[in-house]
Amino acid sequence: MNSAIGIDSAQASVAGTRWTAVRRVLGLVAGTAVTVVFLAVCVAAPLLHIGYSPVLTGSMRPAFAPGDLLVTAPKTVTELQPGDVAVFTPPGESAPYAHRVTALTGAPDHPVLTTKGDANPAPDHWRARLDQDQVPVVVTTVPYAGNVLLWAQNPLQRAVFTALFGLSLTATSVVWILRTPQKVSGQTSPARTA
């Protein structure tokens, strides 16, 4: 009976060791993923001129909804085509809009856009002339992620978020360092005997 208890406790010990190893690997993968996303958003995106904009209204449903995050890339105005969703500030407005281009008129290097929100019954009342060389065009959307960006626009909340991210990276690193087995110099491991 004692041998059965010894086998059960040995199997439980092996299972516990495996679960600890799995948790460590999953933690390392999750931490690496968060770090890569953070670096991509903060470092790579500005270098590649990739932009992010939260969706505020439902004028482009079903393509994207309020709270979604638009990811944009620059496109030269001469390559702009009907069907593209351009992000621009219309005449008489102070905030940028992301609406679908329905028609382009005028000179190719300074076109005049006719746009429409997908959910709107009629085209927009403005005609926007593009004087710049490039315009941001929506390449993808991330559902609900725009809410995070809207939340982070407050300077205090942004500072808290950045501090928490730094503290979590530091804590993860410290835990990883403390759990790593240390080799003592000058000691040799015991020899196995058969």
Side-chain angles (χ1 to χ4, degrees):
M1 183 150 196
N2 288 341
S3 65
I5 293 173
I7 291 173
D8 287 343
S9 64
Q11 289 174 343
S13 175
V14 169
T17 303
R18 285 183 183 158
W19 177 243
T20 301
V22 168
R23 279 192 357 227
R24 278 188 179 178
V25 169
L26 290 176
L28 183 62
V29 168
T32 303
V34 167
T35 303
V36 167
V37 168
F38 183 78
L39 290 174
V41 169
C42 295
V43 178
L47 292 174
L48 299 173
H49 303 288
I50 294 173
Y52 304 97
S53 301
V55 178
L56 302 176
T57 69
S59 66
M60 284 297 292
R61 286 182 189 258
F64 39 86
D68 290 352
L69 182 70
L70 302 179
V71 180
T72 62
K75 191 173 197 179
T76 60
V77 294
T78 56
E79 295 176 346
L80 202 57
Q81 298 175 357
D84 288 339
V85 178
V87 179
F88 62 96
T89 303
E93 300 287 336
S94 59
Y97 280 66
H99 279 185
R100 194 168 306 280
V101 176
T102 57
L104 296 158
T105 57
D109 55 342
H110 297 291
V112 176
L113 304 181
T114 302
T115 58
K116 179 184 177 295
D118 289 354
N120 295 345
D124 298 323
H125 64 278
W126 60 72
R127 299 296 175 261
R129 182 174 190 267
L130 298 179
D131 292 325
Q132 65 267 29
D133 295 333
Q134 295 182 333
V135 63
V137 174
V138 175
V139 291
T140 191
T141 61
V142 182
Y144 309 110
N147 290 324
V148 175
L149 189 62
L150 288 171
W151 179 83
Q153 285 180 347
N154 180 316
L156 177 61
Q157 292 167 334
R158 188 180 316 136
V160 168
F161 178 74
T162 304
L164 288 175
F165 180 75
L167 287 173
S168 68
L169 280 179
T170 303
T172 302
S173 299
V174 168
V175 168
W176 182 74
I177 290 169
L178 292 177
R179 287 189 177 175
T180 303
Q182 300 292 321
K183 290 185 179 181
V184 179
S185 62
Q187 267 190 342
T188 58
S189 58
R192 290 187 166 189
T193 58

